[in-house]
Amino acid sequence: MALEGTIKDFGLADILQMIGIQRKTGQLTLEGAEETVVVKFLEGAVVGADTRQRNLEDLLGSVLVRTGRITEVQLQEALRIQRRTLQRLGYVLVKQGFIFEEDLREALRIQVTQIVYRLFRWRDGRYQFTPSDHMEYDTEHFQPISAETILMEGARMIDEWPIIEKKIKSPKMVFRKTAAGAALDVPVASLLDADLDSALPERDDAARLSPEERDVLRMVDGSSTVQDLVDTSPLGEFDVHRLLYELVTKSLIEEVKVSPVAAAASDESRRGVIVSVALQGLVLALALGGLLTLRTNPLTPWRLVERGEETALLQTYASRNRLERLVQGLQIYYLEHGGMPATLERLAVEGFVATSDLRDPWGRRYTFRVDATGFDLAGRGPAGEERDDLVVRHAFTPSQRMVLEGGAAEKDHPAGP
């Protein structure tokens, strides 16, 4: 039976964990407001990903051209051969000597993971997993990626995205090099004559850039948007945003401010922003209403799957992942405020977790307690029983305890109404 439901009720991490642990083979289709993505699995591992707008081979060809690995003429020649022979585009590119096999493997890996990792930012949409006996993919040039690997990277991204978005707020932002950044992006011969003492930031570590940071710094030109940099970089979307964040933090790049004319135009759009905020409030209210009726809602995934052990196992995975997201939200909250929230609801109010994460799949509140040594989060099993695998104990570091000693963290915080 196909597994289907909504991402709001059952997150991507929950779905991936279930597919990985049960080593399922099949196709996961996710439909968002503007995009439809298909992820292919073989025995629980990711072996491919496409979007309905453009398939993987189309994306692969355009990325190889944009990054300078092949020319447009070479791509068109490879496509002509592909149409005649019906061979995979990657195979044709390698066979014709346009790229090396290692370059193709890396390009395919980046394209697939970029499609999948972008899904972790979805907050709404529908999914359907259709099992199958076999899955076709490029076995010669693509190494299956385990669901556990995807989940670990996805968890890191979920943890770091809120911090990155404090400075990289929109894909439409434009950055330019500061004087320090420009000094680091000149040829070696020019560096010999440059007055680096006046150009470089005061922090010594600003000049110690990784090769990836230097590549992204070189791409920043004062006119390309963040999305332009993502599209032309061989790196994934998250990595480009993360590297831009590091460059901003090191004062090597700065945002290009909007011109007065554009600022005036943006004033006209503020009315639309107000409407958007109102709509978001309505959506939140509907989501809360859906959460309250979760146990009786016929569209939740566990009501679409036959009752039994698999359903209980799926719900337990979901609860465990929600606990992990709550822990991540608490850690980010601490970094922002230097303390713990009074209730878990505060995490949702400030956008550190989704509202649906505050309750387990059976609609029950999680227990949240804080003391001088750390905090506890606990859920219960399908029948309300206590379970060790649904209890998280997080100990504060010595430095965190010092910060919290004079704070107002309560000994025992209920999870809220």
Side-chain angles (χ1 to χ4, degrees), residues 147-158:
E148 290 79 7
T149 299
I150 297 288
L151 282 169
M152 285 193 299
E153 183 65 14
R156 181 176 72 90
M157 290 171 55
I158 292 173

Side-chain angles (χ1 to χ4, degrees), residues 176-289:
R176 65 187 172 201
K177 300 179 184 70
T178 62
L184 289 176
D185 192 36
V186 297
V188 176
S190 300
L191 283 173
L192 297 177
D193 301 324
D195 184 7
L196 294 183
D197 290 336
S198 61
L200 290 175
E202 293 182 1
R203 295 188 304 176
D204 293 336
D205 63 344
R208 293 198 290 269
L209 299 181
S210 67
E212 291 81 9
E213 287 174 322
R214 287 189 178 276
D215 289 340
V216 173
L217 176 62
R218 194 171 296 114
M219 295 168 62
V220 173
D221 57 11
S223 60
S224 299
T225 65
V226 171
Q227 189 59 52
D228 291 335
L229 301 182
V230 171
D231 291 340
T232 56
S233 172
L235 301 171
E237 177 185 29
F238 173 75
D239 287 324
V240 172
H241 280 70
R242 176 180 58 80
L243 293 167
L244 287 171
Y245 173 87
E246 294 295 335
L247 294 173
V248 171
T249 302
K250 294 178 179 180
S251 300
L252 299 178
I253 62 173
E254 60 187 4
E255 182 184 359
V256 176
K257 298 300 181 181
V258 181
S259 66
V261 175
S266 66
D267 290 338
E268 293 291 327
S269 66
R270 288 178 182 172
R271 190 178 300 108
V273 173
I274 295 174
V275 174
S276 175
V277 171
L279 289 174
Q280 291 177 19
L282 176 61
V283 171
L284 180 60
L286 292 173
L288 288 172

Side-chain angles (χ1 to χ4, degrees), residues 2-153:
L3 175 66
E4 59 182 317
T6 65
I7 295 175
K8 189 176 295 184
D9 292 335
F10 200 62
L12 179 66
D14 306 327
I15 303 168
L16 290 179
Q17 187 171 31
M18 185 272 291
I19 293 173
I21 290 178
Q22 298 191 358
R23 298 177 63 82
K24 290 182 175 290
T25 296
Q27 182 171 286
L28 177 65
T29 302
L30 303 105
E31 297 182 359
E34 301 178 354
E35 188 177 18
T36 299
V37 174
V38 177
V39 184
K40 301 175 182 178
F41 292 87
L42 178 65
E43 295 183 352
V46 174
V47 294
D50 293 310
T51 68
R52 286 279 170 84
Q53 288 73 15
R54 300 185 69 183
N55 63 40
L56 182 61
E57 292 204 337
D58 288 341
L59 290 169
L60 174 66
S62 62
V63 167
L64 290 173
V65 171
R66 286 200 309 266
T67 56
R69 297 187 182 185
I70 62 174
T71 66
E72 181 65 33
V73 172
Q74 290 174 324
L75 175 60
Q76 294 306 318
E77 173 65 14
L79 290 172
R80 184 184 63 80
I81 297 173
Q82 182 196 37
R83 286 191 292 268
R84 188 181 74 245
T85 63
L86 301 181
Q87 295 170 326
R88 296 182 186 275
L89 177 61
Y91 176 84
V92 174
L93 290 170
V94 173
K95 193 71 174 178
Q96 295 298 311
F98 295 156
I99 60 174
F100 294 110
E101 288 195 352
E102 293 77 9
D103 293 333
L104 175 60
R105 292 191 185 98
E106 180 65 11
L108 284 172
R109 185 190 65 81
I110 290 175
Q111 284 305 299
V112 169
T113 54
Q114 183 168 339
I115 292 172
V116 175
Y117 291 150
R118 193 182 301 128
L119 296 170
F120 281 90
R121 304 187 69 190
W122 285 25
R123 293 294 176 263
D124 200 3
R126 295 195 62 81
Y127 69 86
Q128 180 181 45
F129 181 79
T130 305
S132 63
D133 296 329
H134 182 67
M135 184 59 60
E136 293 286 343
Y137 73 101
D138 189 348
T139 57
E140 187 175 357
H141 299 114
F142 189 84
Q143 181 70 29
I145 306 171
S146 69
E148 290 79 7
T149 299
I150 297 288
L151 282 169
M152 285 193 299
E153 183 65 14

